Amino acid sequence: MFLIRWISGLFALVLSAAGLAGSFDGLWLESAGQSQAALTLSTEVDIEVTGLLSHTLVHQRFRNPGTEWAEGRFAFPLPDDSAVESLTIVVGDRRIEGEIQPREAAAARFEQARGQGRVAGLVEQGQGNVFTTRIANIPPGETVEVVIGYRERVRFEHQRFSLRFPAHRVAGDFDLRVHLHPGLDLASIEASYHQIQSVYHGGHWQIDMLDAFEPSARDFELVWRAVNASHTRSAVFRQSLGGQDHVLLMLMPPATFNAQATPRELILVIDTSGSMRGEPIIQAREALHRALDGLKPGDRFNVIEFNHLSQALFDAPRPADRRHLLEARRFVNRLEAGGGTVMGPPLEMAMQHEVLPGYLRQIVFATDGMIADEQAVIDLIRQRIDQSRLFTVGIGHGVNSRFLRDAARLGRGGYTGIAELDEIDARMADLLRQLSSPVLTDIELHWPVEVDMHPRRLPDLYAGQPLEVAARANNLRGEVLVTALLDGQAWQASLPLDAFQTAPGVAAHWAQAAISDQLDQRPVGSPLKVVREPVVALALEYQLLSPFTSLVAVERTPIREPDQGLAGHDLGGDRALFAGAQHLPMPATDGGSEHPLLRGLLTLLLIGLLIGHKRISRDDDGEYPS
């Protein structure tokens, strides 16, 4: 069955790629088979950060220079786990506010307003973190501003806070500003790939992106570091909404910790597909050698490489003794890049054996590739992960980070994104140092009242990596008792919930986590609609976009007469996204050769269909296509 899913996924990618004729050049008008530029698009991004939470407003302005009423559509990606909550449309002096409605009702209201000549907007969530916006009845010669607001959690790993905005997908003029209220003393502020100007204003920092007007092939990433601490710290952020208390609890471990009594079983799974040729595979080999160096006596390990085929060094994890480590180094030195990318089989290899009593199994899965059928792999992880922990690593700007984050969350691990190829060795070294130092394992939280907590299954706490938990309850006061194993020994601590910081966005963060948990809990192989009811209830209560809800904004008064025509436009963005093709299977370093890609996908599909009948019988026996 995996072969059938693989061919089906590839077929979906081919169909999605059929929209690749477009570009990132703003709005285009299509008429009588011809395309011409119609609207000028600009983007301004304002980000407000308070502690661990951020609120972003994306302002997109465009003008209809023609003599016809216009209708536009554009697609845009947002950071993973974003909670989209607001839509505002400004036409001239008219301001139209959106609201969250069930998806079908929102679409019907938009179509009705469109036909009645009223200005209307509709935002829908597509695959992963790609959202589409439609704007109807843009007056001739008029300037329209669309403002979309979303909230997200700031990342904190390896003693650094970070937030990211997908600047490489923005068309037209671009400007970005961040207001940072960190709530603690900072050692540094920097942008990973852009020039910035940072100014301190008595309690907060204002950061401006200096080269925002230049076309960017990289995401904007802001990184700030706090003054180091030598002990585990905690922070509680609170927001009251709808008569209930919402809290975000954060445990921050020390920067370094030397675990002695927790034996590990480390499974290293590395992508050796063709897009890893050159510097990536060289740095990947170095990172694997570092991982082998970090194993201690008593640890166990295995190494698995994959492209369209999968190969394990050992048929099961082996002790980290001199003989097995020497064999592993020879295996790593022989790794070469080539072939395609099939992710299911190597993950199944990594999870197939039971975890030995007393051992902490850590699976590190590193890839720069896309995936044709991510739901099949997600279902595989849900079925087989058991007591293993899964840590995913995404290499390059084009990797499917949403899928890798979801996989890590289900595996009670973490995700590491490595945007630049020359960072592979250093960032992998950070991750491997972290995994060698589990501070707390088997963590449990004991609340003073009944709470709705997410995630339900808690991950471990590692040096340099915090534990974050969102909870909702009535009258949440008192202390929460944390129990765990500290280097194999029982440990506990009490955290006062009254010593909190008020932060907007905590309730939205809890609701987004609750929606993700609902989507994760649907039975394996069942359609998404089985969790529709609880997801819609949460999304409507907290006014959030979801797979079953949309944002719709409609002006009360019609401004276009029914006999006046309405022209269709694409408002920037990648037209492949309009067809739902969020993730295309190209190397992360691909320069964007669209038509050859489409031909290549069609060729792969035909090959898959031709060889499929030879593989079906093997697939039914549990084997996978090569």
Side-chain angles (χ1 to χ4, degrees):
M1 292 302 294
F2 199 93
L3 174 63
I4 295 173
R5 293 195 299 267
W6 177 78
I7 293 177
S8 298
L10 181 58
F11 185 63
L13 287 171
V14 172
L15 292 180
S16 298
L20 281 171
S23 67
F24 294 91
D25 298 331
L27 177 71
W28 287 80
L29 168 66
E30 294 184 354
S31 179
Q34 301 294 319
S35 295
Q36 62 180 28
L39 300 181
T40 301
L41 178 67
S42 66
T43 302
E44 293 181 8
V45 179
D46 295 304
I47 304 175
E48 188 91 17
V49 179
T50 303
L52 285 172
L53 301 171
S54 72
H55 179 245
T56 301
L57 290 175
V58 181
H59 304 253
Q60 296 178 302
R61 298 181 181 89
F62 47 89
R63 182 174 60 88
N64 179 6
T67 57
E68 294 181 334
W69 292 78
E71 178 175 6
R73 177 195 297 260
F74 61 97
F76 57 97
L78 290 178
D80 301 320
D81 301 327
S82 300
V84 180
E85 63 177 9
S86 66
L87 167 67
T88 303
I89 303 174
V90 181
V91 182
D93 59 355
R94 301 182 298 279
R95 187 179 185 89
I96 309 161
E97 299 288 347
E99 63 176 308
I100 295 288
Q101 294 186 358
R103 192 169 182 129
E104 295 80 2
R109 186 180 180 196
F110 173 83
E111 291 297 338
Q112 182 184 42
R114 176 181 179 274
Q116 294 172 343
R118 291 184 283 173
V119 175
L122 180 70
V123 181
E124 296 179 310
Q125 181 177 347
Q127 287 186 334
N129 64 335
V130 173
F131 299 82
T132 60
T133 296
R134 296 174 62 190
I135 307 294
N137 295 310
I138 305 169
E142 189 67 88
T143 297
V144 177
E145 179 180 6
V146 180
V147 185
I148 295 173
Y150 66 90
R151 298 186 185 274
E152 66 172 323
R153 178 178 53 82
V154 171
R155 307 293 175 190
F156 178 65
E157 57 183 8
H158 311 308
Q159 298 302 304
R160 64 177 217 157
F161 298 86
S162 67
L163 64 83
R164 182 182 290 262
F165 183 84
H168 75 287
R169 306 301 292 271
V170 174
D173 296 334
F174 179 52
D175 189 38
L176 185 146
R177 172 172 290 176
V178 179
H179 293 278
L180 175 62
H181 304 260
L184 40 75
D185 294 331
L186 299 186
S188 64
I189 302 176
E190 60 186 2
S192 300
Y193 315 114
H194 299 82
Q195 293 183 347
I196 58 171
Q197 175 179 287
S198 302
V199 179
Y200 186 70
H201 295 286
H204 83 279
W205 294 83
Q206 177 179 309
I207 299 101
D208 291 282
M209 182 174 167
L210 295 181
D211 51 356
F213 62 93
E214 299 177 359
S216 177
R218 296 176 171 179
D219 289 346
F220 175 81
E221 183 183 52
L222 185 69
V223 177
W224 59 101
R225 299 177 186 272
V227 176
N228 284 336
S230 59
H231 58 281
T232 299
R233 296 169 292 170
S234 65
V236 179
F237 299 88
R238 181 195 295 270
Q239 181 184 15
S240 295
L241 184 69
Q244 293 184 301
D245 292 327
H246 303 76
V247 299
L248 175 61
L249 174 65
M250 182 176 184
L251 281 177
M252 292 171 285
T256 59
F257 181 81
N258 187 17
Q260 297 292 337
T262 305
R264 297 187 300 147
E265 186 176 276
L266 183 63
I267 314 295
L268 302 165
V269 186
I270 184 68
D271 184 344
T272 56
S273 61
S275 55
M276 290 286 289
R277 286 193 182 98
E279 188 64 24
I281 193 64
I282 293 173
Q283 292 202 37
R285 286 195 294 260
E286 290 298 319
L288 291 174
H289 282 302
R290 286 180 184 271
L292 298 175
D293 289 340
L295 292 170
K296 301 173 183 176
D299 288 344
R300 298 169 63 84
F301 78 103
N302 202 355
V303 183
I304 300 171
E305 66 139 332
F306 74 95
N307 40 52
H308 58 284
L309 300 171
S310 300
Q311 180 184 5
L313 170 59
F314 305 118
D315 59 359
R318 294 287 189 266
D321 55 30
R322 182 175 180 179
R323 179 172 66 87
H324 290 113
L325 287 173
L326 179 60
E327 192 172 350
R329 295 188 188 285
R330 291 170 178 167
F331 180 84
V332 169
N333 288 335
R334 293 194 299 268
L335 292 179
E336 297 291 342
T341 307
V342 180
M343 300 185 187
L347 275 170
E348 185 161 30
M349 282 183 181
M351 298 184 291
Q352 66 181 334
H353 299 286
E354 291 186 5
V355 181
L356 294 180
Y359 277 81
L360 176 64
R361 176 183 288 167
Q362 301 165 331
I363 301 172
V364 178
F365 182 85
T367 180
D368 75 336
M370 301 301 181
I371 181 170
D373 189 0
E374 62 182 71
Q375 189 56 53
V377 178
I378 288 294
D379 287 345
L380 175 67
I381 294 169
R382 292 170 60 195
Q383 289 177 297
R384 303 296 298 273
I385 193 66
D386 194 28
Q387 296 303 311
S388 300
R389 271 62 161 179
L390 176 61
F391 297 83
T392 58
V393 179
I395 300 171
H397 286 278
V399 75
N400 187 340
S401 59
R402 179 63 174 261
F403 159 72
L404 292 175
R405 286 190 193 280
D406 287 346
R409 184 183 72 252
L410 291 170
R412 291 193 291 163
Y415 168 72
T416 300
I418 305 175
E420 299 303 308
L421 301 183
D422 58 4
E423 298 176 345
I424 296 174
D425 187 25
R427 295 297 303 278
M428 285 291 288
D430 287 341
L431 173 63
L432 293 167
R433 276 195 300 270
Q434 169 193 314
L435 296 186
S436 67
S437 304
V439 180
L440 297 176
T441 59
D442 298 334
I443 301 173
E444 294 183 2
L445 300 183
H446 307 271
W447 300 84
V449 297
E450 184 176 351
V451 302
D452 189 348
M453 181 184 77
H454 304 280
R456 301 183 191 278
R457 297 183 69 200
L458 298 178
D460 302 319
L461 184 69
Y462 289 89
Q465 184 74 35
L467 171 65
E468 300 171 17
V469 179
R472 180 182 73 170
N474 294 318
N475 194 27
L476 188 53
R477 299 292 187 271
E479 295 182 334
V480 57
L481 176 65
V482 184
T483 61
L485 294 178
L486 173 64
D487 207 13
Q489 302 298 315
W491 175 92
Q492 68 177 38
S494 295
L495 306 179
L497 294 172
D498 295 328
F500 62 85
Q501 302 178 50
T502 300
V506 172
H509 174 72
W510 175 88
Q512 190 72 9
I515 288 173
S516 294
D517 265 4
Q518 287 290 344
L519 296 173
D520 290 343
Q521 288 173 19
R522 76 180 192 272
V524 172
S526 63
L528 197 61
K529 64 182 180 181
V530 300
V531 294
R532 174 187 172 86
E533 185 175 344
V535 169
V536 169
L538 284 166
L540 292 180
E541 181 181 0
Y542 288 87
Q543 286 290 287
L544 296 177
L545 212 61
S546 76
F548 304 113
T549 54
S550 302
L551 260 171
V552 61
V554 174
E555 188 177 34
R556 294 182 180 275
T557 306
I559 61 173
R560 176 179 63 85
E561 297 298 328
D563 59 347
Q564 293 177 302
L566 186 62
H569 299 69
D570 288 339
L571 304 176
D574 189 341
R575 293 184 187 176
L577 300 181
F578 307 155
Q582 176 198 2
H583 306 298
L584 298 176
M586 64 178 70
T589 54
D590 186 89
S593 179
E594 293 117 346
H595 295 299
L597 170 64
L598 178 57
R599 290 195 297 269
L601 287 173
L602 288 169
T603 301
L604 285 173
L605 174 62
L606 291 174
I607 292 172
L609 293 173
L610 287 172
I611 67 175
H613 70 281
K614 298 180 180 178
R615 306 284 176 94
I616 294 297
S617 59
R618 292 179 57 197
D619 184 52
D620 289 341
D621 290 334
E623 298 186 21
Y624 292 84
S626 54

